[in-house]
């Protein structure tokens, strides 16, 4: 009755199987749920597999956003356009870093002082241009985005690199230098790592000009349903998935007593909390190492 | 399985007890098939009724399990190939559809409206790819709906397995004429497929029809009274 579906020899011979014992597939979740929760004398008397699958997929989506830690990443070299498409299966961008020659990642922050609006094409009399169907026409990249993208260049100091110019450094590496200049730069805008701007409408990410030729990593979350291989749940979150399906089915049906729904709701919340705790990988030894830094004296 | 000869002899014995008349083998065969179908169809209504009443943990007196056991005598399974990727003709002998599956995937029976809703749901994402279900182990769900004698199956697949309850085979009391007397021919006869416990019900039902046939109303009346009494005892 062992749960492992393949021999140890098969496992070590197949790269695809590495680490697979940590997960349970959506198909198995649906089958297990049908056995444990559906039938005569059980909490759900009758449920279609499509209902169970729907709530299973919804639970995978919801848990993917903040519980399952399924963080995906893409590493790429920056194209000359300084604009890249969001990853094809991204639901939200977590963070963007650029990688130096030592392989160290440097966090890139979003450009909070600008945005990526749609640039309306205008006629000579400043009226908006329209196409044959009567809709307003737009440019691919707005002037705002272009200006912000170019703002890194420090044209005032000829013959020096940015890192050699003290004024330049004090002014936050040339970013947002005119913003609050009279009182010194606001530290929230100070960075030497450049900025990016998300163009939510077009699904692209624009970068400042210092990203030319840089190696960039985008870390993002998906919804866990983009491909069949992804439709798995970590075993730490298996109970949370069952409770989520149960709650989804019961709460969407008529004539289910409210106390029963509330009971399942509480059980679901507790199961998700357990899953989050387990998946957060809190490790006492790692914590000890991090806390050692607390005793270090900061020297001026 | 109930011997057709036993039932025929019992029916004749009861009919002849009071010199009521004689039931020919041809008449008996017609009535026997009618009675068999009637009892068979009643299984499903009884199962529904007893399921609502709840069952018990006894070994032999769990009525739900007993009825399921009777129905299981007619269960059948068949592997069928699809045509045009989505369609399967239902087996000729099918009486009630049970489970339709493909390896580990069990297909849900849905109405045509539900089918449209499900196929339009992007989260369920059934049948969106060009690959067959058979080559995609990760598809955990499928649906089917019935159009006439055809099953429409999603996602597309090359084969399915259907478990179903088949119709009972027509019974026949076969005979050879010896001196103008029909003599039982066991090798060519077809027995009842019903459970042994239904033998009394078969005799009573056939007697009821026989009473109408030989215009002996009291026979029908007695048979129906007995039938009602039996049913009441079983279900109370």
């Amino acid at each position: 009755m062992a749960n492992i579906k393949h021999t140890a020899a098969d496992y070590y011979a197949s790269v695809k199987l590495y680490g697979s014992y940590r997960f349970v597939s959506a198909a198995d979740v649906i089958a297990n749920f049908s056995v444990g929760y559906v039938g005569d004398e059980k909490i759900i008397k009758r449920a279609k597999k499509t209902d169970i699958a729907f709530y299973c997929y919804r639970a995978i989506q919801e848990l993917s956003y903040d519980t399952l830690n399924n963080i995906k990443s893409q590493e790429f070299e920056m194209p000359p356009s300084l604009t890249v498409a969001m990853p094809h299966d991204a639901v939200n961008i977590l963070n963007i870093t650029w990688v130096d020659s030592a392989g160290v990642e440097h966090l890139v922050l979003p450009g909070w002082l600008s945005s990526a609006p749609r640039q309306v094409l205008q006629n000579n009399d400043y009226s908006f241009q329209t196409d044959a169907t009567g809709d307003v026409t737009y440019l691919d990249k707005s002037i705002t985005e272009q200006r912000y993208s170019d703002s890194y260049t420090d044209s005032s100091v000829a013959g020096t690199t940015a890192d050699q110019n003290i004024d330049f450094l004090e002014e936050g590496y040339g970013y947002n230098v005119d913003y609050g200049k009279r009182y010194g730069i606001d530290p929230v805008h100070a960075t030497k790592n450049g900025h990016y701007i998300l163009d939510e409408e077009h699904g692209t990410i624009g970068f400042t000009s210092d990203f030319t030729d840089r190696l960039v990593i985008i870390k993002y979350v998906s919804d866990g349903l983009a491909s069949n291989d992804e439709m798995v749940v970590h075993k730490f979150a298996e109970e949370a998935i069952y409770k989520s399906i149960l709650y989804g089915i019961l709460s969407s049906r008529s004539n289910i007593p409210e106390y029963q729904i509330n009971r399942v709701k509480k059980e679901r919340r507790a199961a998700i909390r357990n899953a989050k705790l387990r998946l957060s990988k809190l490790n006492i030894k790692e914590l000890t190492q991090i806390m050692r830094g607390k005793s270090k004296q900061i020297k001026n | 399985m109930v011997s057709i000869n036993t039932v025929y002899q019992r029916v004749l014995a009861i009919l002849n007890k009071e010199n009521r008349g004689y039931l020919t083998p041809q008449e008996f065969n017609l009535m026997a098939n009618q009675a068999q179908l009637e009892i068979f169809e009643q299984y499903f209504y009884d199962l529904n009724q007893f399921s609502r009443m709840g069952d018990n943990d006894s070994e032999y007196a769990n009525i739900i399990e007993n009825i399921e056991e009777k129905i299981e005598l007619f269960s059948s399974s068949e592997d069928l190939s699809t045509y045009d990727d989505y369609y399967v003709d239902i087996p000729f002998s099918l009486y009630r559809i049970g489970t339709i599956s493909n390896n580990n995937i069990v297909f849900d029976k849905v109405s045509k409206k539900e089918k449209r809703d499900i196929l339009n749901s992007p989260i369920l994402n059934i049948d969106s790819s060009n690959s067959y279900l058979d080559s995609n182990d990760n598809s955990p769900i499928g649906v089917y709906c019935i159009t006439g004698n055809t099953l429409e199956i999603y996602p597309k697949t090359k084969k399915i397995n259907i478990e179903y309850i088949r119709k009972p085979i027509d019974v026949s009391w076969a005979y050879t004429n010896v001196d103008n007397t029909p003599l039982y021919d066991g090798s060519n006869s077809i027995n009842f497929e019903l459970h042994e416990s239904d033998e009394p019900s078969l005799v009573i039902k056939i007697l009821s029809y026989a009473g109408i046939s030989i215009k002996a109303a009291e026979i029908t009346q007695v048979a129906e009274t007995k039938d009602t009494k039996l049913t009441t005892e079983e279900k109370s």
Side-chain angles (χ1 to χ4, degrees):
Chain A
M1 290 300 290
N3 269 348
I4 295 182
K5 292 174 182 167
H6 32 258
T7 63
D10 291 341
Y11 174 81
Y12 291 112
S14 171
V15 178
K16 206 180 171 189
L17 292 176
Y18 289 177
S20 59
Y21 192 64
R22 293 172 298 162
F23 300 103
V24 54
S25 71
D28 287 345
V29 167
I30 293 166
N32 289 340
F33 185 86
S34 301
V35 170
Y37 294 88
V38 183
D40 288 334
E41 310 285 319
K42 291 184 182 160
I43 192 163
I44 301 172
K45 200 171 174 63
R46 191 166 176 268
K48 285 185 173 156
K49 287 276 194 301
T50 42
D51 287 350
I52 300 171
F54 174 82
Y55 289 108
C56 174
Y57 296 160
R58 282 293 299 122
I60 289 176
Q61 283 185 311
E62 288 299 323
L63 295 181
S64 287
Y65 302 146
D66 59 2
T67 307
L68 292 178
N69 277 335
N70 287 342
I71 297 169
K72 303 173 95 176
S73 59
Q74 277 188 351
E75 182 192 87
F76 57 90
E77 282 181 29
M78 184 57 64
S81 64
L82 295 173
T83 301
V84 293
M86 277 190 197
H88 63 286
D89 52 351
V91 173
N92 191 32
I93 304 292
L94 287 181
N95 60 52
I96 296 177
T97 56
W98 70 272
V99 185
D100 64 20
S101 56
V104 176
E105 292 181 37
H106 301 267
L107 184 67
V108 183
L109 294 169
W112 291 312
L113 297 178
S114 192
S115 65
R118 287 200 295 174
Q119 167 72 35
V120 180
L121 276 173
Q122 288 173 290
N123 298 310
N124 290 336
D125 62 350
Y126 303 107
S127 60
F128 290 179
Q129 285 184 15
T130 53
D131 61 15
T133 58
D135 289 331
V136 175
T137 49
Y138 297 96
L139 270 175
D140 286 341
K141 194 167 185 175
S142 68
I143 296 172
T144 309
E145 208 179 346
Q146 191 60 52
R147 282 183 184 171
Y148 191 74
S149 172
D150 294 341
S151 67
Y152 169 75
T153 312
D154 180 31
S155 56
S156 63
V157 189
T160 56
T161 63
D163 284 352
Q164 290 171 329
N165 187 333
I166 297 298
D167 290 342
F168 188 64
L169 297 178
E170 285 180 347
E171 286 174 346
Y173 281 87
Y175 294 106
N176 321 313
V177 288
D178 291 330
Y179 192 81
K181 189 172 185 178
R182 180 180 292 243
Y183 308 104
I185 193 166
D186 185 348
V188 77
H189 303 302
T191 176
K192 64 178 290 189
N193 292 325
H195 288 295
Y196 70 88
I197 287 179
L198 271 182
D199 184 348
E200 301 279 4
E201 191 176 346
H202 292 104
T204 57
I205 308 167
F207 291 85
T208 44
S209 57
D210 47 336
F211 274 86
T212 308
D213 297 332
R214 270 185 183 173
L215 190 64
V216 175
I217 296 175
I218 295 179
K219 289 180 181 164
Y220 62 98
V221 284
S222 186
D223 65 354
L225 302 182
S227 69
N228 285 333
D229 290 340
E230 282 175 55
M231 289 164 70
V232 292
V233 180
H234 197 286
K235 284 180 177 169
F236 283 172
E238 195 175 341
E239 189 63 17
I241 287 278
Y242 294 143
K243 295 297 181 199
S244 297
I245 299 171
L246 184 61
Y247 174 69
I249 291 176
L250 289 182
S251 63
S252 63
R253 287 191 171 178
S254 56
N255 299 325
I256 301 289
E258 200 57 32
Y259 67 85
Q260 204 170 36
I261 295 173
N262 279 332
R263 194 192 85 197
V264 175
K265 193 176 183 179
K266 282 180 191 167
E267 288 176 356
R268 170 176 150 266
R269 195 183 301 145
I272 290 176
R273 195 164 50 234
N274 273 348
K276 273 188 186 175
L277 270 174
R278 289 165 172 174
L279 289 167
S280 65
K281 296 176 185 167
L282 280 175
N283 183 316
I284 191 70
K285 285 179 181 156
E286 287 175 22
L287 278 176
T288 309
Q289 178 65 16
I290 293 164
M291 295 307 280
R292 281 189 180 122
K294 291 278 284 179
S295 59
K296 187 178 176 184
Q297 203 170 17
I298 298 169
K299 295 172 188 170
N300 286 316
Chain B
M1 189 170 281
V2 180
S3 162
I4 191 163
N5 191 40
T6 310
V7 173
Y8 188 34
Q9 297 309 327
R10 285 196 184 153
V11 169
L12 286 181
I14 295 168
L15 281 177
N16 285 332
K17 190 178 165 192
E18 294 176 27
N19 295 323
R20 295 284 175 189
Y22 177 73
L23 192 67
T24 64
Q26 291 90 339
E27 286 172 326
F28 172 78
N29 284 342
L30 287 173
M31 292 168 193
N33 280 312
Q34 175 69 15
Q36 177 170 246
L37 282 177
E38 220 174 279
I39 292 170
F40 181 65
E41 175 63 14
Q42 192 59 40
Y43 287 162
F44 302 97
Y45 294 100
D46 289 351
L47 185 60
N48 176 284
Q49 187 182 349
F50 285 110
S51 297
R52 279 182 277 128
M53 287 164 65
D55 60 359
N56 58 58
D57 194 30
S58 67
E59 213 167 350
Y60 303 113
N62 187 325
I63 305 298
I64 295 172
E65 280 184 11
N66 288 351
I67 297 171
E68 282 173 346
E69 203 178 301
K70 291 179 182 182
I71 294 173
E72 278 305 311
L73 293 172
F74 298 89
S75 75
S76 192
S77 175
E78 223 170 297
D79 287 324
L80 299 172
S81 298
T82 57
Y83 59 90
D84 295 342
D85 293 335
Y86 296 103
Y87 303 100
V88 173
D89 287 334
I90 58 175
F92 180 72
S93 61
L94 185 140
Y95 194 77
R96 293 262 193 273
I97 295 176
T99 304
I100 294 182
S101 61
N102 180 320
N103 294 326
N104 295 327
I105 297 154
V106 176
F107 294 81
D108 275 338
K109 183 181 177 186
V110 295
S111 68
K112 289 197 173 56
K113 180 189 172 295
E114 283 175 311
K115 178 199 82 179
R116 277 195 299 275
D117 293 342
I118 287 168
L119 292 181
N120 285 333
S121 164
I123 193 166
L124 290 177
N125 201 21
I126 295 180
D127 202 38
S128 65
S129 69
N130 289 321
S131 62
Y132 286 88
L133 176 68
D134 316 62
S135 59
N136 184 0
D137 293 332
N138 287 313
S139 284
I141 47 171
V143 295
Y144 74 92
C145 58
I146 305 170
T147 310
N149 286 328
T150 306
L151 300 177
E152 205 176 325
I153 302 201
Y154 296 91
K156 65 180 175 183
T157 179
K158 286 178 182 167
K159 63 175 173 58
I160 57 152
N161 176 269
I162 178 169
E163 285 172 15
Y164 63 98
I165 300 300
R166 61 171 176 76
K167 294 170 198 161
I169 297 169
D170 281 352
V171 296
S172 170
W173 191 87
Y175 61 96
T176 48
N177 263 322
V178 178
D179 296 335
N180 281 334
T181 307
L183 197 68
Y184 178 60
D185 178 2
S187 59
N188 288 319
S189 292
I190 300 167
N191 289 320
F192 292 98
E193 291 186 290
L194 297 178
H195 193 268
E196 299 277 351
S197 63
D198 283 318
E199 193 177 301
S201 305
L202 273 171
V203 173
I204 290 168
K205 281 218 183 290
I206 295 167
L207 268 177
S208 166
Y209 291 126
I212 297 166
S213 173
I214 61 174
K215 291 178 182 164
E218 61 271 32
I219 294 283
T220 306
Q221 206 176 345
V222 169
E224 281 176 358
T225 309
K226 257 194 155 333
D227 193 21
T228 310
K229 196 180 163 205
L230 198 68
T231 309
T232 312
E233 280 170 3
E234 279 176 2
K235 295 188 179 178
S236 58

